[in-house]
Amino acid sequence: MKRVLFVAALLLLAGLVPAQTSDNAGNSYQNAAEKMLAADGKLTIGGYGQIDYNQPLSSEKRYNGVLDVHRLVMLFGYRFNERTQFITEVEYEHVSEVYIEQAFLQYKITSGLNFRGGLLLIPMGIVNEYHEPTTFNGVERPLIDNIISPTTWREIGFGISGNLIASSLKYQAYLVNGFSGYNGTAQLDGRNGLRKGRQKGANSYLSAPNFSGKVEYYGIKGLNVGVSGYFGNTQSTLYNGLSKDNDTALAKADSSVMGLSMIGVDARYTLKGLQLRGQYYFAGLSNTRQYNHFTAKSGKPNDLGSAMTGYYAEAAYNVFRPLNLKDELTPFVRLEGYNTHHAVADGLTKNKAYQTTAITTGLGWKPAPGAVLKADLQLVKPQTADKFTTTFNAGIGILF
């Protein structure tokens, strides 16, 4: 029912928004895959990469810094004809790990309606779709986009997408496989939030489809506002091969599954050199009491919360813009917080260590479009800690 209401709300918004000219098309952002879809030619090649240095700082202890080729990604696009295209994103993480982050076929039905099928990015918030290192401030992605909306979050499915330029609206709506909640052990808990539940298109299993959708409005100069929704159930391997008349086994399988309803709201605003952005997530989970008891270890129940929240607000300014320089030098500050125990089921006590605040401040220098050097300080404090822990981060990012 929630999925139906969300889709209805998107359609209603599309109908109520007054028609606009395409003057505000600059507010309609494109990630790397969308730019490849818009490119001419049969074969298109792109890529992005990120090399990081992370150094914990402490007045009491000495820590080694960590140097890492965090990710190196190649993108390939192929145009079969005027309507049919294929996009894939192959990522090498930490030099030794290989992942496929996108792999989808797109068919253009009309100018504002496309079919997509394959391994798709879940359109939740900003960073999950715009995760290339030149598109966000700071060396590391925001914390809430690792815990609540676990970037890079992608699953296999199909659906529709499009850009209604006359109404200044972009939209996406997909049916996908859900998070892995149970595959012999619990995949979700209070400490890690939803991150370990991503199936990533690797032998993904499906016990019930989930809905994911987003609409963005960009009809006001400089402003882009998005509303995202994700609704469905976690997946469980206990349903595989289960006799439909075995009520005991069905009840056991049902205890390994949770309902998930997530809403995301995000906004980006630019005015000359000023850049503002923010996100808010709310994720509600049902059946967590049964899930926590079913997935208990050594008699101790799991501690997955029944509601999670996360937010960040960020301000940045390109100090080179008033000087009419082509380079960009952008100091920024970001305040964020998340709580994976915003609410808990009966019998579970909220763990204040799962409520965290972070402040990140630094700057980025872009000597050329598609290249950035970054440095920042990140201060992180769980509610149970007496003081912030501090990390100095520096990095190089590229996108082409």
Side-chain angles (χ1 to χ4, degrees):
M1 184 63 182
K2 291 179 180 178
R3 279 174 274 187
V4 175
L5 292 175
F6 184 78
V7 175
L10 298 188
L11 295 175
L12 179 62
L13 178 61
L16 291 178
V17 173
Q20 305 282 331
T21 67
S22 60
D23 294 342
N24 295 316
N27 305 337
S28 178
Y29 297 93
Q30 289 182 317
N31 60 21
E34 290 171 323
K35 290 178 181 179
M36 296 186 76
L37 287 168
D40 295 327
K42 274 278 190 183
L43 178 65
T44 308
I45 299 175
Y48 63 90
Q50 182 176 342
I51 302 173
D52 299 342
Y53 171 60
N54 309 110
Q55 176 64 65
L57 303 176
S58 173
S59 60
E60 301 172 353
K61 296 181 180 180
R62 179 173 176 174
Y63 293 98
N64 290 331
V66 176
L67 295 159
D68 185 27
V69 181
H70 197 151
R71 50 181 57 92
L72 180 63
V73 181
M74 294 302 299
L75 294 104
F76 302 93
Y78 189 79
R79 184 184 297 273
F80 296 95
N81 55 40
E82 293 182 356
R83 292 181 177 269
T84 310
Q85 295 172 267
F86 178 75
I87 299 292
T88 189
E89 180 176 340
V90 182
E91 175 168 13
Y92 296 85
E93 283 195 4
H94 315 297
V95 179
S96 60
E97 302 171 9
V98 182
Y99 297 98
I100 305 298
E101 294 214 333
Q102 297 184 76
F104 66 86
L105 187 72
Q106 175 165 297
Y107 178 76
K108 181 179 178 181
I109 301 173
T110 67
S111 60
L113 176 62
N114 304 296
F115 168 84
R116 284 186 182 179
L119 184 62
L120 306 167
L121 292 178
I122 301 299
M124 178 63 64
I126 299 173
V127 174
N128 199 55
E129 292 188 274
Y130 303 91
H131 53 259
E132 302 86 4
T134 60
T135 63
F136 60 89
N137 290 311
V139 175
E140 304 295 345
R141 298 164 181 172
L143 296 178
I144 64 171
D145 289 301
N146 281 290
I147 300 295
I148 309 298
S149 174
T151 303
T152 302
W153 182 10
R154 69 276 192 190
E155 302 294 355
I156 295 175
F158 67 92
I160 57 173
S161 67
N163 189 354
L164 306 177
I165 296 177
S167 298
S168 301
L169 285 173
K170 284 180 66 177
Y171 66 90
Q172 299 176 74
Y174 306 123
L175 287 177
V176 296
N177 67 272
F179 283 116
S180 170
Y182 185 82
N183 62 0
T185 60
Q187 299 300 296
L188 307 176
D189 57 36
R191 179 179 298 277
N192 298 293
L194 302 172
R195 185 163 189 80
K196 290 186 177 180
R198 298 173 301 164
Q199 298 203 60
K200 307 177 185 179
N203 290 317
S204 302
Y205 63 96
L206 174 70
S207 50
N210 285 221
F211 171 82
S212 172
K214 182 176 183 179
V215 63
E216 297 176 45
Y217 176 64
Y218 57 91
I220 300 173
K221 185 176 181 180
L223 179 66
N224 183 293
V225 179
V227 179
S228 313
Y230 182 92
F231 308 97
N233 295 321
T234 61
Q235 318 291 281
S236 173
T237 56
L238 291 179
Y239 289 110
N240 192 40
L242 187 62
S243 175
K244 294 181 179 179
D245 60 359
N246 189 335
D247 293 338
T248 301
L250 283 170
K252 180 180 178 180
D254 290 343
S255 295
S256 68
V257 170
M258 293 162 298
L260 173 61
S261 298
M262 186 187 301
I263 296 292
V265 180
D266 62 78
R268 286 168 282 184
Y269 180 70
T270 59
L271 178 63
K272 298 182 179 180
L274 178 66
Q275 305 167 16
L276 303 175
R277 63 169 57 188
Q279 290 189 165
Y280 175 79
Y281 296 130
F282 176 85
L285 294 94
S286 61
N287 202 46
T288 55
R289 183 177 182 274
Q290 290 85 343
Y291 178 81
N292 284 334
H293 282 279
F294 179 77
T295 58
K297 290 184 178 180
S298 302
K300 184 178 180 180
N302 193 2
D303 66 350
L304 183 68
S306 57
M308 305 179 187
T309 58
Y311 72 89
Y312 80 72
E314 180 183 288
Y317 186 77
N318 175 15
V319 298
F320 282 174
R321 184 180 175 91
L323 304 176
N324 294 319
L325 299 176
K326 293 183 179 181
D327 294 14
E328 295 182 24
L329 183 64
T330 309
F332 78 96
V333 60
R334 179 171 67 235
L335 172 67
E336 64 179 310
Y338 67 86
N339 187 357
T340 59
H341 270 188
H342 180 76
V344 296
D346 293 341
L348 180 64
T349 302
K350 290 184 179 180
N351 190 336
K352 293 183 179 180
Y354 297 163
Q355 183 175 350
T356 300
T357 300
I359 301 171
T360 307
T361 183
L363 75 166
W365 173 46
K366 292 183 178 179
V372 64
L373 282 77
K374 302 180 180 183
D376 64 62
L377 282 175
Q378 186 170 68
L379 294 83
V380 180
K381 181 180 178 296
Q383 192 176 21
T384 53
D386 296 327
K387 58 183 180 180
F388 287 87
T389 59
T390 304
T391 304
F392 170 74
N393 305 297
I396 298 170
I398 57 98
L399 169 66
F400 61 90

